[in-house]
Amino acid sequence: MALQQPQAGPLKGIVVADFSRVLAGPYATMLLADLGATVIKVEGPNGDDTRGWVPPKRGDVGTYYLSINRNKNSIKLNLKDPDDLDTAYAIIDRADVLIDNFRVGSLDKFGLDPETVRKRWPELIHAKITGFGSRAGAQLPGYDMLIQASSGFMSMTGSPDGPPQKAGYAFIDVLTGLHTTVGILASLLRRERFGGGGETIRTNLLSAALSSMVNMTSAAVASDAEMTRTGNDHPSIFPYGPFPAKDRELVICVGNNKQFATLVNGLGSPELADDPRFATNEQRNANREELRPILTELLASKNADEWIDLFRAKGLPIAPILSVREAIGFADDLELEPVVEITTKDGTDRVPFVSNPLDMSSGGITYTKAAPGLDEDRGDVLEWIAQTPAK
């Protein structure tokens, strides 16, 4: 079989040498592959760590690995071996983009540090992901939970009277992957429109976290407000969060006075909209502990699904609290097509993946190859090198 090179998508013909592993980098390169780029995943002798992050798994492979490595070609290389290092160079010779998330300095001995890369491959876009940047924090390891702790995120998460909490998944890695993808796409467009060759793009998990915490970090730098944990409450809006109905909790989001009037009318207490304690968002926020038990008592008269049906018909933002599996079913009910099945290279299995969220009228998203086995595409990559001139 030939090397997997998508025949459609806005990035058709763009080649990405993917020297990243675990999450932030592989997520970025999967997005590029979904958009039509040819991605060659260069793995060390033991493969990407996430292959063995189990449970859960499908067959012998961790679903963690599967979630971020579709549409790629895998080759196993030991950069300490001169022949393998030459193969790595040959891949980069033919690439438009190089991406890695090794600790600063780790690749210097192989001539793959940003400065050497810029000199040897001046047309190459080199995206470098680190945990804490390439200066004073260069030697700090970049695990997502470390960033959740040191970015202030955990200090903001959890119950006010409880300990700091992490998020349920490694979201800072994902956000960093998204930022990296934006940078790569911008650099590709700049190169096409204005020339100027390649460049080095540096992203780090801490800066991505601080940028993505938006109103929280803005409050820290632009005001004297004290940032504290508010649990499931919003610090600036009320009611905005989970509330118990007769059978289970649901989430209500009231962002303005009109929505509050819709809520209390539906609950059978329209006078609350004119109550001076609750007439504006600022008043509701200041008197939330008076309003909360009133709403709780009113909501206890019906089951969650009854309230959801009633308020959705009125246009009020309301939702059930679903499990992940239920959420996928809900997205399917909404015709969002949340799952796509992709055939493995050997044709023996069709593996389900969560779809790319982009819906492009040009049909720009492609699904052509399930996440590869370790070194699955070695022969195809070597053949591609032999048949493809260096850029």
Side-chain angles (χ1 to χ4, degrees):
M1 297 181 68
L3 184 74
Q4 167 57 38
Q5 298 187 77
Q7 298 305 303
L11 297 185
K12 176 185 174 182
I14 296 296
V15 177
V16 178
D18 181 7
F19 282 63
S20 68
R21 66 264 196 252
V22 186
L23 181 49
Y27 186 71
T29 55
M30 182 183 72
L31 297 180
L32 297 172
D34 288 352
L35 289 166
T38 297
V39 175
I40 299 174
K41 182 177 178 66
V42 177
E43 302 188 62
N46 298 318
D48 193 311
D49 289 347
T50 59
R51 290 181 180 276
W53 285 7
V54 297
K57 60 183 178 178
R58 182 183 178 89
D60 295 326
V61 181
T63 58
Y64 200 124
Y65 168 80
L66 295 178
S67 71
I68 45 177
N69 284 290
R70 64 171 172 251
N71 290 339
K72 301 180 186 180
N73 303 275
S74 170
I75 184 170
K76 180 175 66 174
L77 297 176
N78 181 354
L79 298 184
K80 296 178 181 178
D81 179 276
D83 291 336
D84 279 3
L85 183 57
D86 283 342
T87 299
Y89 290 156
I91 292 169
I92 300 171
D93 284 341
R94 291 154 178 80
D96 299 279
V97 177
L98 167 65
I99 182 169
D100 83 81
N101 57 355
F102 284 82
R103 191 182 300 186
V104 174
S106 299
L107 296 179
D108 290 11
K109 57 183 173 291
F110 304 117
L112 295 175
D113 57 283
E115 291 72 24
T116 304
V117 166
R118 285 286 290 124
K119 292 177 182 177
R120 180 166 180 173
W121 295 284
E123 297 299 312
L124 186 72
I125 296 166
H126 181 193
K128 177 75 178 176
I129 301 172
T130 59
F132 295 89
S134 58
R135 298 170 187 146
Q139 296 308 310
L140 297 176
Y143 286 91
D144 184 278
M145 189 167 178
L146 298 179
I147 313 300
Q148 291 194 36
S150 56
S151 67
F153 174 81
M154 286 180 65
S155 76
M156 298 298 304
T157 307
S159 299
D161 56 352
Q165 293 286 322
K166 75 176 188 69
Y169 73 105
F171 79 103
I172 295 174
D173 267 318
V174 173
L175 291 171
T176 306
L178 283 169
H179 280 83
T180 303
T181 302
V182 171
I184 290 170
L185 294 175
S187 189
L188 286 168
L189 182 61
R190 173 200 54 78
R191 194 180 69 173
E192 178 183 338
R193 293 180 64 189
F194 307 117
E199 66 177 311
T200 303
I201 300 169
R202 301 180 190 270
T203 52
N204 68 82
L205 274 67
L206 180 58
S207 293
L210 294 175
S211 172
S212 302
M213 287 165 64
V214 290
N215 59 309
M216 295 292 103
T217 43
S218 176
V221 300
S223 80
D224 295 326
E226 190 67 32
M227 299 293 98
T228 58
R229 287 190 293 282
T230 59
N232 286 321
D233 278 352
H234 193 289
S236 306
I237 311 171
F238 192 85
Y240 197 100
F243 292 87
K246 185 177 181 179
D247 59 338
R248 59 192 173 96
E249 287 193 316
L250 46 73
V251 167
I252 297 171
C253 295
V254 169
N256 56 53
N257 296 336
K258 181 179 178 182
Q259 289 176 341
F260 183 67
T262 300
L263 172 65
V264 295
N265 270 281
L267 292 173
S269 294
E271 72 281 358
L272 292 173
D274 298 318
D275 189 311
R277 297 172 297 171
F278 314 132
T280 67
N281 175 70
E282 186 174 3
Q283 290 162 334
R284 290 190 293 275
N285 205 36
N287 297 299
R288 62 174 62 196
E289 296 313 321
E290 292 183 62
L291 181 55
R292 191 191 309 273
I294 296 172
L295 297 179
T296 298
E297 181 178 356
L298 293 170
L299 286 164
S301 64
K302 295 181 187 292
N303 289 332
D305 287 344
E306 294 177 274
W307 287 124
I308 290 169
D309 289 343
L310 187 153
F311 284 120
R312 278 185 175 163
K314 296 178 180 294
L316 185 77
I318 189 169
I321 299 175
L322 303 176
S323 69
V324 175
R325 191 164 276 114
E326 287 172 333
I328 291 170
F330 179 50
D332 193 53
D333 291 341
L334 298 178
E335 301 178 359
L336 298 178
E337 301 179 355
V339 178
V340 60
E341 291 190 349
I342 310 175
T343 304
T344 55
K345 185 174 183 178
D346 61 11
T348 61
D349 192 15
R350 286 184 60 78
V351 183
F353 293 84
V354 175
S355 304
N356 188 302
L358 291 175
D359 184 358
M360 304 176 70
S361 61
S362 63
I365 301 301
T366 60
Y367 305 106
T368 53
K369 188 173 186 289
L374 178 60
D375 210 34
E376 177 179 277
D377 305 289
R378 168 174 287 274
D380 294 336
V381 173
L382 296 178
E383 181 181 0
W384 170 78
I385 290 172
Q387 296 178 352
T388 305
K391 291 185 181 292

